[in-house]
Amino acid sequence: MSIVARFAIRYAGFSLTAELDLPGHGITALFGPSGSGKSTLLRAIAGLERWPASHLRVNDSVWQDATSFLPTHRRPLGYVFQHANLFPHLSVGRNLDYGARRAGAAARRVVRDDIIELLGIGVLLERMPARLSGGEQQRVAIARALLTGPELLLMDEPLAALDLARKNEILPYLETLHDTLDIPVLYVSHAPDEVARLADHLLVLDAGAIVAQGPLAETLARTDLPIPLGEDAGVVLDAYVRERDARWHLARVEFPGGELWVRDGGQAIGSRVRLRILARDVSIALERPEGSSIMNALPATVDEIAGEPHPALALVRLNAGNSPLLARLTRRSADLLALTPGASVWAQIKAVALIG
């Protein structure tokens, strides 16, 4: 499956030009600051707004072009908004029934009981929406969207209206859906932590234009990413759990660049995990560090050195066994270490987030 689109959108002084060729699997994050055009693009894909001179093809089906336009209710998609928008007069179970009726038996791609179990909402079926927490409401909204049997799931900042506790409650369910269901997702967010945790592919928008796109790990590791991430700059790596140290509650994980000790998240030996390493938590030494509280040190090569918005800082991209790392340090430190592309160094990693 693939998603190919071309949009030229102009209204009220805002314009968005986008050409997309997205993978038809996994989660593609539409990422960028407020007002960059993320939600506008999602609404155009949903058919909620019609724009001339636009084209959208999902798999082998043309949803719109110069001569045709498939209305939203005929597009096989599910849509989850910031707010759950549940029918307040219907119980949770009846809200789900509404979604299933929209699909019809022939189009149904998911089983109701499976979705209820995956999202942990079995105990909520008799409740009315007013008696649900914000996180519970969003889980029900996601279940209802999935029960429509979509070929494509659109999620427009589904966690933005939740507090941190509710957000942390729902993220594991989204990860489970990602690992379990074979339905492509377009996920709008301006939160780097959500993107790092959930996405496989990244589409970066700014001021109505796509300024970067590609696989998540590759795109986040760019030093020239047009959207400055500041304290959130860093890389995401896939790794495997190889050992657990019960005494110190640590786990040893391996990835192509070597191995790291991280806080034990309870994953089984051999399981695949996702690591997030922020540039602010990586320092550079010319020799292997000894007598340091930082447990993780990897041999690496300097790939490139880029400027940062503040003139005192530099962002250094490293290559550790063909895995990218980013390190933020002062320009003075980079000069004292005489860092240049190709130099052999040691990357000290102070903290590693095990995010999935």
Side-chain angles (χ1 to χ4, degrees):
M1 183 175 178
S2 63
I3 303 164
V4 178
R6 183 182 65 254
F7 290 102
I9 299 171
R10 293 177 179 81
Y11 68 95
F14 176 83
S15 65
L16 185 150
T17 302
E19 292 195 18
L20 315 176
D21 189 352
L22 302 176
H25 56 85
I27 296 178
T28 295
L30 279 59
F31 174 74
S34 298
S36 60
K38 306 183 299 298
S39 294
T40 299
L41 181 56
L42 209 68
R43 289 176 62 83
I45 292 172
L48 295 173
E49 298 174 2
R50 182 172 183 174
W51 302 101
S54 295
H55 173 87
L56 173 61
R57 176 171 56 81
V58 177
N59 210 11
D60 295 324
S61 176
V62 175
W63 288 11
Q64 69 185 80
D65 59 18
T67 60
S68 63
F69 181 85
L70 197 65
T72 301
H73 69 275
R74 292 183 56 199
R75 300 187 182 195
L77 57 83
Y79 206 127
V80 180
F81 297 87
Q82 281 189 30
H83 299 281
N85 295 327
L86 301 177
F87 295 115
H89 62 290
L90 298 180
S91 68
V92 166
R94 293 180 65 193
N95 266 279
L96 299 184
D97 291 340
Y98 175 84
R101 284 197 302 272
R102 272 200 59 204
R108 196 163 295 137
R109 295 173 178 82
V110 294
V111 177
R112 186 180 191 270
D113 289 346
D114 291 346
I115 293 301
I116 289 171
E117 182 178 354
L118 283 173
L119 287 163
I121 57 175
V123 297
L124 308 177
L125 296 179
E126 301 303 320
R127 291 193 199 174
M128 302 301 286
R131 294 181 54 213
L132 304 179
S133 70
E136 290 170 339
Q137 289 184 25
Q138 279 299 71
R139 280 190 276 150
V140 174
I142 294 167
R144 186 176 64 181
L146 289 170
L147 286 172
T148 65
E151 291 182 10
L152 177 64
L153 181 63
L154 308 180
M155 306 186 80
D156 191 358
E157 303 216 47
L159 307 185
L162 304 179
D163 60 29
L164 183 60
R166 301 290 80 76
K167 180 175 175 178
N168 288 336
E169 166 198 316
I170 202 171
L171 275 169
Y173 291 102
L174 294 179
E175 289 174 323
T176 299
L177 291 176
H178 172 269
D179 295 338
T180 305
L181 300 180
D182 188 24
I183 299 174
V185 179
L186 298 185
Y187 188 99
V188 167
S189 179
H190 66 273
D193 60 328
E194 287 178 37
V195 171
R197 186 163 177 172
L198 297 173
D200 304 293
H201 194 85
L202 185 60
L203 192 71
V204 183
L205 291 95
D206 189 29
I210 296 173
V211 293
Q213 62 178 309
L216 177 74
E218 176 184 311
T219 307
L220 285 180
R222 288 175 51 174
T223 58
D224 64 340
L225 194 65
I227 302 291
L229 293 180
E231 291 299 297
D232 289 303
V235 300
V236 171
L237 303 173
D238 287 326
Y240 291 88
V241 178
R242 297 306 186 200
E243 180 184 352
R244 298 174 71 185
D245 186 331
R247 179 185 179 189
W248 301 112
H249 306 285
L250 297 171
R252 180 174 61 85
V253 299
E254 288 184 352
F255 68 106
E259 61 181 39
L260 299 167
W261 284 97
V262 301
R263 286 181 293 180
D264 187 359
Q267 290 83 355
I269 301 297
S271 60
R272 183 178 177 180
V273 293
R274 180 174 282 194
L275 309 176
R276 188 182 185 202
I277 304 174
L278 296 176
R280 69 187 185 207
D281 292 325
V282 180
S283 62
I284 296 176
L286 297 181
E287 298 180 358
R288 184 179 187 124
E290 300 290 344
S292 171
S293 64
I294 301 175
M295 291 189 300
N296 295 311
L298 300 171
T301 303
V302 176
D303 270 350
E304 57 181 304
I305 304 171
E308 283 275 79
H310 194 287
L313 300 176
L315 190 65
V316 181
R317 177 180 162 120
L318 304 169
N319 184 330
N322 293 322
S323 293
L325 294 173
L326 293 178
R328 176 177 287 115
L329 60 160
T330 65
R331 287 184 175 275
R332 181 174 183 270
S333 294
D335 184 69
L336 289 172
L337 294 173
L339 296 183
T340 57
S344 295
V345 297
W346 285 84
Q348 296 184 101
I349 302 173
K350 181 166 50 177
V352 180
L354 194 64
I355 58 174

